[in-house]
Amino acid sequence: MRHFRISFLVTFVLMAVSGWWGYTHGGMSGLLQALWITGVLGIMEVSLSFDNAVVNASVLRHWNEFWQKLFLTVGILVAVFGMRLLFPLVIVSVATGLGLVDVWTMATTTPEVYAKHLTDNHAQVAAFGGAFLLLVFLNFLFDDEKELHWLGWAEEKVNALGTESLAVLITMGAVAGCVAMGPVDEKYSVLASGIVGIAVYLGVNWLSGLLEEGEPDADEDSDAPAVKNGNGELVKNVARGSIGGFLYLEVLDASFSFDGVIGAFAITNDVVIIMLGLAIGAMFVRSMTVFLVHKGTLDEFVYLEHGAHYAIGILALIMLASVKYHIPEWFTGLSGVAFILVSLWSSLRYRKRHAAEA
């Protein structure tokens, strides 16, 4: 439970703020309604982002304690206030030409107008997030260092044929299909958003590779100096943790979070309640990530990472298709949960089979 102490503390504080906000706007009934909606949004965020936590853990388990703590402090501030509050405000600001203060006033005084502006730009954000997430899935699928293949020979064959270039080519084709489906007056903006999603993924990947090239060759357990260039322990931490990897996780979180923000407006138009509820969910997703790392869950359930990436692949396709078609939020959430559950079941079968062989 120690991994979730801060999350429970933050939940208590944010629920208190939610109750106060509801009480000032609607008395006791407003307080109860605010608490209920905030709790529902928190649970919804966790259910939609569990696969995000698993993928985060697959990256974070290779980092040292310095970067894990940074992910839980600076990272959570970026996730809560940057991606779930500021990012939607910036989108509406760019779309309307208004300043951030004016957009915030719009969100708190006329939330239905704010929600309309936000959903009117759904196609562009979906193209960006869909392209980024599709590359995350494809590059996992084509990773030639994977030793286990969840889907057996079929996945192994695809893995042998795939490369990073093919992943980019497939994603470009998916973005082109997304543009063809989109409204005529939004084709250029959807195309630009999809290209930016691809560019951001490649840019972060390049930065990570650049930092890895400068990582010390000395083994952690050896007596050799950890850092050869003499710049001290900080350089070692940056190289081993990777700023590029940190940015990768933040962009990945952004791709997940905006879908949750859009879904939240189906429950309430109150932007403050939405921020509080999603913030609670984001805290538990972060804590869940560290829990998976410290408990070695990904080593124990060997197909869990596979299931999470397939859930991301489905989410990417859903986001790209949502440019034209409305996909129910319950389907988006349940499809990810289904892949996670099946991968857990496959992992248990794998453990039982190998235990019997041993």
Side-chain angles (χ1 to χ4, degrees):
M1 288 295 292
R2 65 185 181 88
H3 298 93
F4 296 90
R5 287 175 185 169
I6 296 178
S7 294
F8 281 114
L9 177 61
V10 171
T11 298
F12 176 79
V13 172
L14 295 185
M15 289 295 282
V17 173
S18 172
W20 169 81
W21 179 262
Y23 183 79
T24 57
H25 288 75
M28 187 57 64
S29 62
L31 182 149
L32 296 175
Q33 184 179 24
L35 291 176
W36 168 253
I37 294 176
T38 302
V40 169
L41 290 175
I43 295 172
M44 182 190 76
E45 178 72 2
V46 173
S47 65
L48 288 174
S49 300
F50 183 77
D51 44 359
N52 187 13
V54 176
V55 174
N56 286 349
S58 70
V59 177
L60 200 65
R61 62 177 171 169
H62 301 299
W63 293 4
N64 57 29
E65 187 177 355
F66 170 83
W67 281 95
Q68 290 179 6
K69 287 183 177 179
L70 191 68
F71 180 73
L72 271 181
T73 53
V74 177
I76 193 63
L77 291 175
V78 174
V80 173
F81 296 103
M83 300 308 175
R84 288 162 176 81
L85 176 63
L86 185 59
F87 184 52
L89 292 175
V90 169
I91 291 175
V92 175
S93 176
V94 172
T96 60
L98 298 173
L100 287 177
V101 175
D102 293 329
V103 174
W104 172 254
T105 302
M106 178 198 301
T108 53
T109 57
T110 55
E112 63 283 350
V113 177
Y114 172 78
K116 183 179 185 306
H117 283 300
L118 194 60
T119 53
D120 284 347
N121 289 274
H122 172 73
Q124 291 81 358
V125 178
F128 171 87
F132 185 89
L133 292 179
L134 187 57
L135 278 172
V136 171
F137 165 67
L138 291 175
N139 278 291
F140 173 81
L141 187 64
F142 297 157
D143 184 6
D144 56 7
E145 295 183 0
K146 283 208 314 287
E147 297 179 358
L148 291 174
H149 299 283
W150 187 26
L151 302 183
W153 66 268
E155 185 177 312
E156 188 174 358
K157 192 69 175 177
V158 171
N159 178 228
L161 296 174
T163 63
E164 185 174 351
S165 299
L166 180 60
V168 174
L169 186 62
I170 292 174
T171 304
M172 289 176 64
V175 170
C178 183
V179 172
M181 291 190 303
V184 176
D185 58 338
E186 294 184 353
K187 288 186 181 296
Y188 174 77
S189 57
V190 170
L191 176 62
S193 299
I195 292 175
V196 170
I198 296 173
V200 168
Y201 181 91
L202 295 177
V204 171
N205 199 32
W206 168 80
L207 181 58
S208 298
L210 190 66
L211 291 171
E212 286 174 7
E213 288 178 5
E215 187 175 341
D217 295 328
D219 190 272
E220 274 189 53
D221 298 326
S222 70
D223 295 327
V227 180
K228 297 180 180 179
N229 58 11
N231 289 333
E233 188 68 18
L234 181 59
V235 173
K236 173 187 173 183
N237 286 336
V238 171
R240 292 190 61 80
S242 174
I243 294 175
F246 185 83
L247 293 175
Y248 168 82
L249 291 184
E250 293 304 326
V251 177
L252 183 67
D253 183 72
S255 301
F256 275 93
S257 67
F258 192 80
D259 195 55
V261 172
I262 293 294
F265 275 100
I267 300 175
T268 178
N269 282 333
D270 193 324
V271 67
V272 174
I273 297 298
I274 288 175
M275 185 198 72
L276 294 174
L278 297 185
I280 290 172
M283 281 298 305
F284 276 97
V285 170
R286 281 298 198 279
S287 297
M288 198 180 305
T289 297
V290 177
F291 174 81
L292 293 173
V293 173
H294 289 172
K295 292 297 182 181
T297 307
L298 297 183
D299 295 324
E300 186 177 356
F301 299 96
V302 294
Y303 292 123
L304 186 58
E305 187 177 354
H306 294 72
H309 277 89
Y310 275 94
I312 285 177
I314 291 297
L315 176 60
L317 295 178
I318 288 174
M319 292 184 75
L320 293 172
S322 68
V323 170
K324 181 176 181 180
Y325 304 102
H326 171 69
I327 312 296
E329 286 75 18
W330 63 264
F331 178 80
T332 304
L334 287 180
S335 60
V337 172
F339 274 105
I340 296 295
L341 292 177
V342 174
S343 66
L344 284 173
W345 175 73
S346 298
S347 299
L348 291 173
R349 288 189 60 195
Y350 177 87
R351 286 172 55 190
K352 185 177 180 181
R353 183 170 65 251
H354 279 261
E357 291 176 358

